[in-house]
Amino acid sequence: MVTMTSPACPTPAGRRCSARAARSASCAPPAGHLPPQPHSPAVSLCHRQSTTNMAETEALEYITEHERILQEIESTETACVGPTLRSVYDDQPNAHKRFMEKLDARIRNHDREIEKMCNFHHQGFVDAITELLKVRADAEKLMVQVTDTNRRLQDAGKEVTAQTEEMIRCRVQQRNIATTVEKLQLCIPVLEMYSKLKEQLESKRYYAALKTMEQLENVYIPRVGQYRFCQIMAETLPKLREEIKDISMSDLKDFLESIRKHSDKIGETAMKQAHQHRTFNSAVQKQANSVYCNPPYMFNGKASNQDNEYGVDEDYENDEEVLTAQDLVDFSPVYRCLHIYTVLGDRETFENYYRKQRRKQARLVLQPQSNMHETVEGYRRYFNQIVGFFVVEDHILHATQGLVTRAYTDELWSMALSKIIAVLRTHSSYCTDPDLVLELKNLIVIFADTLQGYGFPVNRLFDLLFEIRDQYNETLLKKWAGVFREIFESDNYSPIPVENEEEYKSVISRFPFHDAEIEKQQFPKKLPMSQSVPQIYIQVKEFIYASLKFSESLHRSSTEIDDMLRKSTNLLLTRTLSCCLQNLIKKPHIGLTELVQIIINTTHLEQACKYLEDFITNITNVSPETIHTTRLYGLSTFKDARHAAEGEIYTKLNQKIDEFIQLADYEWTMSESDGRASGYLMDLINFLRSTFQVFTHLPGKVAQTACMSACKHLSTSLMQMLLDNELKQISMGAIQQFNLDVIQCELFASSEPVPGFQGDTLQLAFIDLRQLLDLFMVWDWSTYLADYGQPTSKYLRVNPSTALALLEKMKDTSKKNNIFSQFRKNDRDKQKLIETVVKQLRSLVNGMSQHT
């Protein structure tokens, strides 16, 4: 039998079981101790005796223990019986059987006690049952009587019950009616307010409708909030608010769409007002203190009028009544939407939406058309839209509280101004017509004045006008370059003929010319300059007027305007007119006569520059003695042109000389000269004489320089002809003929074709040729070789290499033409002399090269 360890039981039986288990454990032999072996007789006897004693003792203990277990079972609750019963099985194997026997005995004992108790009370129980049977008959009679009495009572109380129920029903109805009236009195104001709300919504009085909703929610609905219709109404109000928000937002969107379309008209109206205001102030200022005393002048065939200086339609001034932004646009959707969102506590959302949409519209307004630069109307529409946009924003700024702020409008204007400047800078660069640029400037001035009147800073716009002014000047310069070219092409480059006093006054009225000698002459007479001079002078003045038109209304002082005019005039003279003159001088069809006239013209234009300075001074009323006044340095333009013309004269004169030289046809092997100068040379000298007669109108030094240059070039050309490498042979007869031509050149130089030369200065141009020819004509080699290198040498200008080259050509001729010269003693001596001279000349040339 396996011994199982049971949990500790709090009952006495459990404690006894634990004690018994402990005793059993203490009686067990210790581990490792072996019991005595049964094989020993003494040991076996002792063992049997001890076993018998132990059995008796254990039997007594079992009896006592079973009694205790039964007592515990009788007195212990059922939940704790388990451990007690388990202790029965923990003992010796027969303990269970003995316990069951003990238990059966105890049960029989209790049965006998129960039987005794039942026998003792049996008679009383029988008596009670007998009495109960007697009472049953009386109870049935009583039941019948009670039922009959109840029936009669019910029959008698039916009428009373019906009347009582009717009374109760009437009382309930009366109470319900009173309650209904009371509740209806509370509900009627709610329904009336809701009806009022519906009427306000239908009539689009949304702000009042929101106030009504607020009263419904805070005052009326809480009084009757337990009713279903009030709950439905309360649930409907937020939806109505959203509908009002949506409707007001839709109205705002319609407003924003309409304001986009009306911006052009609003801007046009605002610019009209600004123009009228400026025109009025300008008229008052002119009456008080006239700035410019000049009469209206002609510009490109049209009279300039300061009253319409902005290039704006005259309709601007003919309107008696100018509408405002409020007259053109209904701003109520903005106010209404602002109030609605403010009441709904969502003002910030509205402000953000409005500003975001207006920023988008600003970007659209600031986006120009691609062909805006082609016409002034494109610029006008662009400016009108921008002005209209910011006029609306300024009105919203002052008409609402915080919808837009000054910081917001300033930021928006700063962004717009940067975009406007970039757009104008780009599109103005495409303009090639100065009239269009001028109209653009006038529009920008009106645009800037209009926005400045609304408090927007516009200094950057006026700074931009200075950039556009440079572009305007460039277009003017290009235009006047064409004007100057036309003038030069149509000029006949002849002195201006005047037949009478009237024609003379007409010329000097256009050009400041004064010459006492010419004034003394009788009519008809000629003025030294050609027709292009007064025309150029007039056009320069027209350019100054045109430049002045842009400088006006830029809010600049007279000194700054004067400085601008002088700088632009300097550009016209030094760049445009100078370039035209240089191109004119280089043209192939311009001959010597035209070049001479150009030099004369530039001289008179240079003298007229001081009158141009006086002209600018009279316009601006700025004294030329002012420290910062810019001077006209266009004088250098005419000097440079004159120098270029002079150089071209020298070049063309030399070219003509070369053309005549090319006609030379010498027979270089002739035995004797013709006795007269060559025909080509005489024609050349006649050409030079007639040409230098035309030079009488030139300044003295110019004519002298031209004459000296021509003589030097002629001398050089003749020398090159003698020393030409292709010329292999030359005879003494050819040298004699060449000498005759040089003599004619010397005679021309000595005839003083141009006055002013001292002594034989002009003849010195041919000194090199003269000494070389004299050396060969006289054949004075001994003197040349003896005096070579001395300052007093008769042939000081003859170079040994030049003499050697020419002598070599003569040496070859002598050999070819005098085949039998070796048979004649004189010829042989001459040949030997030539060879000796050639050797000596070569030694001189070699010595010079080594020295070099």
Side-chain angles (χ1 to χ4, degrees):
M1 181 178 178
V2 179
T3 303
M4 299 180 60
T5 304
S6 60
C9 183
T11 61
R15 288 193 297 270
R16 287 193 298 270
C17 292
S18 299
R20 186 170 59 252
R23 287 195 302 271
S24 298
S26 63
C27 294
H33 180 73
L34 295 177
Q37 298 295 327
H39 300 289
S40 175
V43 173
S44 299
L45 181 59
C46 291
H47 179 67
R48 285 194 300 268
Q49 291 178 352
S50 60
T51 302
T52 303
N53 295 332
M54 290 177 59
E56 293 176 354
T57 304
E58 289 179 358
L60 293 175
E61 291 179 357
Y62 287 152
I63 294 172
T64 305
E65 184 68 23
H66 290 166
E67 289 293 336
R68 285 195 297 268
I69 292 172
L70 289 174
Q71 291 178 0
E72 289 178 3
I73 290 173
E74 292 175 353
S75 62
T76 304
E77 294 180 358
T78 307
C80 294
V81 172
T84 305
L85 294 176
R86 190 179 294 113
S87 65
V88 176
Y89 296 92
D90 290 342
D91 294 332
Q92 294 301 320
N94 294 325
H96 175 261
K97 184 178 180 182
R98 289 192 293 269
F99 174 74
M100 294 301 295
E101 293 174 354
K102 190 69 175 178
L103 180 61
D104 291 338
R106 179 63 62 89
I107 291 172
R108 287 192 299 269
N109 188 20
H110 282 297
D111 288 339
R112 286 193 296 268
E113 290 178 359
I114 291 171
E115 185 177 355
K116 290 178 180 181
M117 187 178 293
C118 288
N119 291 330
F120 177 75
H121 293 286
H122 178 69
Q123 188 61 40
F125 174 74
V126 172
D127 294 340
I129 290 298
T130 302
E131 291 179 0
L132 182 60
L133 290 175
K134 293 178 180 180
V135 173
R136 182 172 63 180
D138 296 333
E140 290 177 355
K141 293 179 181 180
L142 179 61
M143 185 63 184
V144 172
Q145 293 176 358
V146 170
T147 302
D148 183 58
T149 303
N150 181 56
R151 180 179 56 78
R152 293 196 303 270
L153 180 61
Q154 293 295 331
D155 292 339
K158 283 182 180 179
E159 185 177 356
V160 177
T161 303
Q163 292 179 356
T164 302
E165 290 178 355
E166 181 67 21
M167 182 181 295
I168 293 171
R169 186 177 63 79
C170 291
R171 292 288 178 88
V172 170
Q173 289 181 351
Q174 184 180 4
R175 185 175 68 250
N176 290 341
I177 291 172
T179 304
T180 302
V181 170
E182 180 182 358
K183 297 302 181 182
L184 285 176
Q185 289 177 349
L186 294 176
C187 292
I188 287 175
V190 178
L191 296 174
E192 289 177 349
M193 291 296 290
Y194 192 79
S195 176
K196 179 180 178 182
L197 172 63
K198 288 295 185 179
E199 292 177 358
Q200 291 171 341
L201 291 175
E202 291 176 359
S203 61
K204 297 183 179 181
R205 296 164 54 200
Y206 300 118
Y207 182 73
L210 290 175
K211 290 295 186 182
T212 303
M213 289 184 191
E214 185 177 357
Q215 291 180 356
L216 279 172
E217 286 182 333
N218 299 330
V219 179
Y220 293 95
I221 291 180
R223 297 175 182 174
V224 289
Q226 67 274 19
Y227 299 110
R228 178 62 180 165
F229 81 92
C230 289
Q231 296 176 1
I232 296 174
M233 190 181 299
E235 294 174 356
T236 305
L237 292 181
K239 297 179 181 179
L240 293 177
R241 282 196 178 90
E242 292 299 324
E243 289 180 4
I244 292 174
K245 288 178 66 175
D246 295 340
I247 293 172
S248 62
M249 184 58 70
S250 177
D251 293 342
L252 177 65
K253 292 178 180 178
D254 295 339
F255 166 79
L256 293 175
E257 182 65 25
S258 65
I259 202 66
R260 176 77 174 89
K261 298 177 181 178
H262 288 86
S263 292
D264 193 2
K265 185 63 177 178
I266 295 173
E268 181 183 359
T269 303
M271 293 180 73
K272 281 183 182 180
Q273 292 176 335
H275 174 67
Q276 290 178 353
H277 180 70
R278 186 173 185 83
T279 302
F280 175 77
N281 291 341
S282 177
V284 172
Q285 183 179 5
K286 285 181 179 180
Q287 292 178 359
N289 183 16
S290 179
V291 178
Y292 303 118
C293 300
N294 299 304
Y297 47 82
M298 299 297 293
F299 176 53
N300 296 332
K302 298 183 289 185
S304 172
N305 189 356
Q306 295 291 333
D307 293 337
N308 196 22
E309 60 183 345
Y310 298 110
V312 184
D313 295 339
E314 293 180 357
D315 295 339
Y316 276 24
E317 299 181 10
N318 296 333
D319 294 340
E320 294 182 358
E321 180 181 358
V322 179
L323 300 176
T324 62
Q326 282 182 303
D327 299 327
L328 296 173
V329 180
D330 180 17
F331 289 93
S332 59
V334 181
Y335 307 147
R336 183 165 54 246
C337 196
L338 176 62
H339 287 307
I340 289 171
Y341 272 78
T342 302
V343 171
L344 295 177
D346 204 9
R347 179 188 177 101
E348 184 178 358
T349 300
F350 172 74
E351 292 178 356
N352 294 334
Y353 176 81
Y354 177 84
R355 295 178 185 181
K356 180 179 178 181
Q357 295 301 317
R358 289 297 281 169
R359 284 182 183 275
K360 291 181 179 179
Q361 289 188 347
R363 294 188 182 95
L364 294 176
V365 167
L366 295 173
Q367 188 66 30
Q369 296 181 353
S370 59
N371 60 343
M372 185 179 71
H373 60 277
E374 296 178 358
T375 61
V376 70
E377 288 302 321
Y379 288 106
R380 195 190 306 277
R381 287 193 299 270
Y382 182 66
F383 289 139
N384 286 343
Q385 290 179 358
I386 296 174
V387 170
F389 178 87
F390 283 99
V391 167
V392 170
E393 288 303 293
D394 182 77
H395 178 78
I396 295 296
L397 173 66
H398 292 89
T400 60
Q401 297 294 330
L403 177 56
V404 294
T405 61
R406 176 56 67 181
Y408 163 78
T409 55
D410 290 344
E411 179 186 358
L412 197 61
W413 169 244
S414 179
M415 180 272 293
L417 188 58
S418 300
K419 178 66 175 178
I420 292 168
I421 291 174
V423 168
L424 294 179
R425 185 180 288 119
T426 300
H427 283 265
S428 64
S429 63
Y430 298 145
C431 295
T432 57
D433 184 8
D435 295 338
L436 180 58
V437 178
L438 184 61
E439 290 180 344
L440 172 60
K441 167 258 177 182
N442 294 333
L443 285 176
I444 293 176
V445 170
I446 298 178
F447 175 72
D449 289 344
T450 303
L451 290 174
Q452 190 174 26
Y454 285 92
F456 296 100
V458 294
N459 292 333
R460 292 176 61 188
L461 285 175
F462 285 100
D463 294 337
L464 173 66
L465 285 175
F466 279 91
E467 298 180 20
I468 298 178
R469 182 184 179 279
D470 296 335
Q471 174 68 19
Y472 175 71
N473 283 336
E474 290 297 325
T475 58
L476 286 181
L477 293 175
K478 290 180 181 178
K479 180 177 181 179
W480 258 259
V483 172
F484 289 149
R485 284 194 296 268
E486 292 178 359
I487 291 174
F488 289 140
E489 289 176 0
S490 62
D491 193 10
N492 57 6
Y493 297 99
S494 300
I496 300 175
V498 287
E499 299 295 334
N500 48 45
E501 184 71 21
E502 183 178 355
E503 291 183 3
Y504 178 75
K505 291 182 179 179
S506 175
V507 174
I508 63 175
S509 65
R510 292 179 291 145
F511 181 76
F513 173 76
H514 302 285
D515 192 326
E517 294 297 330
I518 295 179
E519 290 178 358
K520 293 177 182 180
Q521 296 177 6
Q522 298 295 324
F523 293 101
K525 53 187 175 182
K526 292 183 178 181
L527 303 182
M529 63 280 190
S530 64
Q531 288 289 349
S532 61
V533 173
Q535 293 176 358
I536 290 175
Y537 183 79
I538 291 173
Q539 288 300 322
V540 173
K541 292 173 66 176
E542 287 293 330
F543 177 87
I544 295 173
Y545 278 131
S547 182
L548 175 64
K549 288 293 294 179
F550 197 96
S551 301
E552 294 172 344
S553 306
L554 296 184
H555 305 295
R556 299 293 174 175
S557 63
S558 299
T559 304
E560 291 177 308
I561 294 176
D562 182 86
D563 186 65
M564 294 177 191
L565 291 179
R566 293 177 185 271
K567 287 181 178 179
S568 58
T569 306
N570 279 329
L571 283 176
L572 177 70
L573 297 177
T574 59
R575 195 171 76 182
T576 304
L577 182 56
S578 176
C579 182
C580 291
L581 286 172
Q582 295 293 337
N583 293 334
L584 174 66
I585 292 169
K586 297 295 181 182
K587 288 186 176 181
H589 69 274
I590 299 297
L592 292 172
T593 304
E594 288 82 1
L595 290 173
V596 171
Q597 188 62 53
I598 289 173
I599 292 175
I600 296 172
N601 291 347
T602 54
T603 302
H604 288 284
L605 288 173
E606 180 180 353
Q607 295 172 355
C609 282
K610 63 178 181 179
Y611 297 101
L612 291 177
E613 286 194 350
D614 295 340
F615 175 72
I616 295 175
T617 300
N618 292 333
I619 289 178
T620 59
N621 289 332
V622 177
S623 175
E625 286 77 18
T626 305
I627 297 176
H628 300 290
T629 300
T630 304
R631 299 294 178 179
L632 289 182
Y633 47 85
L635 300 174
S636 61
T637 297
F638 303 113
K639 290 180 180 179
D640 294 340
R642 189 159 54 250
H643 292 327
E646 293 171 3
E648 194 67 20
I649 287 176
Y650 306 150
T651 302
K652 289 185 178 294
L653 199 56
N654 293 340
Q655 290 175 354
K656 280 303 240 181
I657 293 174
D658 292 338
E659 292 176 2
F660 281 103
I661 293 295
Q662 290 176 0
L663 299 176
D665 186 17
Y666 286 102
E667 186 180 353
W668 296 107
T669 59
M670 66 173 57
S671 58
E672 294 182 357
S673 66
D674 294 340
R676 63 178 182 276
S678 302
Y680 84 91
L681 188 66
M682 296 306 298
D683 294 339
L684 173 59
I685 291 175
N686 292 332
F687 166 75
L688 292 176
R689 289 184 186 279
S690 61
T691 300
F692 290 141
Q693 287 178 358
V694 178
F695 286 6
T696 54
H697 298 291
L698 288 175
K701 291 183 179 180
V702 177
Q704 293 171 13
T705 304
C707 186
M708 177 60 73
S709 173
C711 291
K712 286 183 177 181
H713 185 73
L714 177 58
S715 175
T716 302
S717 300
L718 292 174
M719 181 69 76
Q720 291 176 351
M721 189 184 300
L722 282 177
L723 302 178
D724 190 4
N725 292 330
E726 296 182 359
L727 179 60
K728 303 298 182 181
Q729 299 174 357
I730 187 171
S731 65
M732 183 58 71
I735 290 179
Q736 291 173 354
Q737 181 63 39
F738 200 81
N739 183 57
L740 293 176
D741 293 342
V742 174
I743 291 174
Q744 291 298 322
C745 292
E746 292 174 337
L747 290 175
F748 170 74
S750 62
S751 66
E752 197 175 7
V754 173
F757 288 106
Q758 296 180 357
D760 56 353
T761 302
L762 192 58
Q763 298 178 22
L764 293 177
F766 302 95
I767 189 62
D768 294 349
L769 272 174
R770 172 48 49 209
Q771 290 185 8
L772 179 64
L773 293 175
D774 286 348
L775 176 61
F776 278 84
M777 294 288 293
V778 179
W779 205 255
D780 194 7
W781 293 107
S782 58
T783 304
Y784 175 76
L785 295 173
D787 296 342
Y788 177 76
Q790 297 181 6
T792 58
S793 174
K794 181 180 179 181
Y795 305 102
L796 181 63
R797 306 298 295 271
V798 178
N799 192 291
S801 60
T802 303
L804 176 61
L806 186 58
L807 190 59
E808 289 283 355
K809 298 177 186 296
M810 293 186 67
K811 176 183 175 182
D812 294 338
T813 304
S814 298
K815 289 180 179 180
K816 182 177 180 181
N817 295 336
N818 299 303
I819 301 174
F820 302 102
S821 61
Q822 64 271 23
F823 300 105
R824 294 193 291 272
K825 184 177 183 302
N826 291 335
D827 292 337
R828 289 197 304 270
D829 294 342
K830 185 177 182 181
Q831 189 66 28
K832 290 180 180 179
L833 179 60
I834 291 175
E835 292 177 355
T836 303
V837 173
V838 167
K839 292 180 181 179
Q840 292 179 354
L841 289 174
R842 284 176 179 172
S843 63
L844 290 176
V845 172
N846 292 334
M848 291 176 60
S849 62
Q850 292 177 0
H851 179 71
T852 303

